[in-house]
Amino acid sequence: MTHLTHVYFTFLILLGFNACSPPPITPVGNAKPSRDAHLALGNPSQALKDPAKPDNYLMEKETYALSYNSAKGQANWVAWHLSKAWKGGAPRQDNFRIDQDLPAGFSRVSSGDYTNSGFDRGHLCPSDDRDSTVGDNSSTFLMTNIIPQSPNLNRISWLAFENYCRNLMDGNQELYIYAGGYGKGGEGTSGVKEVLNGKVQVPSHCWKIAVILPVGTNDLARVSEQTRVIAIDMPNTQTVNQQSWGDYRVSVDFLEMVTGYDFLSNVPEAVQMVLEAKTDSGPTQ
Ligand code: MN
Ligand code: MN
């Protein structure tokens, strides 16, 4: 930390600046927050909009993009851009429902497939990241954006990192986020399960990657070896740490190994090499 930065932080503390709000970043060139392409940094599994490949089927919605896996009854990954341009005052819709945009013949998961399972309907793209309009918020309740999460994961550790990402957004940053599950078998309130209602595979772990940039334009070209990237890997259990999401940080390389995907594939290989080997050690609130 430079002396001037130190003075700045001390100044904020003296002002009573809340520790939950990171210091605001100056937007690049007076840029305003915008809605940018969810897959600008890459399509991790090279998903295609090809109904002949039901286990890696690309769906591009206005509010997020995903690769659907019909055999698992959930997305392999969901990707979304987060900035204040996606935010507003629309109330939470809570209308979990079948995604009718799935091609004929694909496994269609309904809200009822989770009922009494001991697992929460866990959002990948969070409801609170999309509340500009009722329609935007409603889109996050499509079951293609939902995975079975243990309640203590969904409501505590996972939520804490979602909140941290929105705090960064409030500080004039924009984020490119990927999330999904891997492995088989999680622990909910009714014990360990591998599949819900014969349709929905329960992941053993839930992961997320967030690439963080000051608000600006031409985002892909701004990703550098200094860009902050946070990768997390949380066990899908009731005993997941209940306080600090930061304890679950890993490298992107680790998540590439366990998922088999190539994240940030549109970023130059030399920059990926550096960014993906690191494990974030930055602030956690
Ligand atoms: Mn941008
Ligand atoms: Mn990569």
Side-chain angles (χ1 to χ4, degrees):
M1 184 178 289
T2 66
H3 179 66
L4 275 176
T5 313
H6 186 80
V7 168
Y8 177 63
F9 276 101
T10 307
F11 181 62
L12 291 175
I13 288 161
L14 287 172
L15 281 173
F17 203 89
N18 191 308
C20 290
S21 307
I25 300 289
T26 306
V28 177
N30 294 321
K32 295 274 182 290
S34 57
R35 295 184 170 205
D36 298 336
H38 308 302
L39 296 178
L41 306 192
N43 173 334
S45 60
Q46 296 181 289
L48 296 171
K49 198 170 177 175
D50 175 3
K53 301 213 169 75
D55 297 337
N56 189 20
Y57 180 73
L58 179 65
M59 303 181 84
E60 293 189 273
K61 301 176 186 294
E62 195 180 320
T63 44
Y64 53 89
L66 66 93
S67 159
Y68 189 69
N69 188 315
S70 191
K72 292 183 177 176
Q74 68 204 250
N76 293 308
W77 49 260
V78 173
W80 67 101
H81 174 253
L82 177 61
S83 75
K84 287 182 197 169
W86 298 99
K87 292 289 293 170
R92 183 181 168 100
Q93 296 299 302
D94 263 323
N95 52 346
F96 293 100
R97 63 200 187 281
I98 292 172
D99 189 337
Q100 301 292 352
D101 290 336
L102 288 168
F106 279 39
S107 176
R108 291 174 176 230
V109 174
S110 69
S111 179
D113 289 320
Y114 284 57
T115 301
N116 297 325
S117 68
F119 289 88
D120 279 2
R121 298 167 184 85
H123 281 80
L124 290 169
C125 178
S127 166
D128 277 352
D129 283 11
R130 295 290 184 264
D131 57 7
S132 177
T133 64
V134 165
D136 278 8
N137 185 261
S138 179
S139 73
T140 69
F141 291 89
L142 292 168
M143 293 302 291
T144 45
N145 181 45
I146 301 298
I147 56 172
Q149 287 188 324
S150 79
N152 281 353
L153 171 63
N154 179 40
R155 300 175 197 183
I156 303 172
S157 309
W158 191 258
L159 175 66
F161 186 56
E162 291 179 347
N163 285 332
Y164 181 70
C165 289
R166 286 188 293 270
N167 286 347
L168 294 175
M169 173 202 74
D170 283 334
N172 292 327
Q173 312 220 49
E174 60 181 309
L175 298 86
Y176 288 85
I177 306 174
Y178 297 89
Y182 73 89
K184 191 172 182 181
E187 180 209 12
T189 53
S190 304
V192 174
K193 293 187 180 175
E194 293 197 339
V195 180
L196 306 186
N197 214 19
K199 288 165 82 175
V200 189
Q201 185 167 316
V202 180
S204 64
H205 291 76
C206 299
W207 57 267
K208 184 175 274 188
I209 295 169
V211 178
I212 301 145
L213 296 165
V215 166
T217 54
N218 204 4
D219 299 333
L220 174 61
R222 292 191 293 131
V223 176
S224 76
E225 293 173 7
Q226 282 74 47
T227 299
R228 188 176 184 195
V229 178
I230 305 173
I232 60 165
D233 178 43
M234 293 181 175
N236 195 17
T237 66
Q238 284 292 82
T239 49
V240 66
N241 179 306
Q242 304 208 354
Q243 295 303 323
S244 183
W245 63 263
D247 293 347
Y248 294 96
R249 284 176 284 188
V250 295
S251 66
V252 173
D253 278 341
F254 175 80
L255 292 180
E256 289 191 337
M257 182 183 68
V258 294
T259 62
Y261 306 142
D262 180 7
F263 298 107
L264 318 185
S265 58
N266 289 351
V267 172
E269 190 63 47
V271 178
Q272 280 187 68
M273 292 256 298
V274 173
L275 290 183
E276 295 180 352
K278 287 191 240 183
T279 297
D280 179 67
S281 58
T284 58
Q285 53 181 326

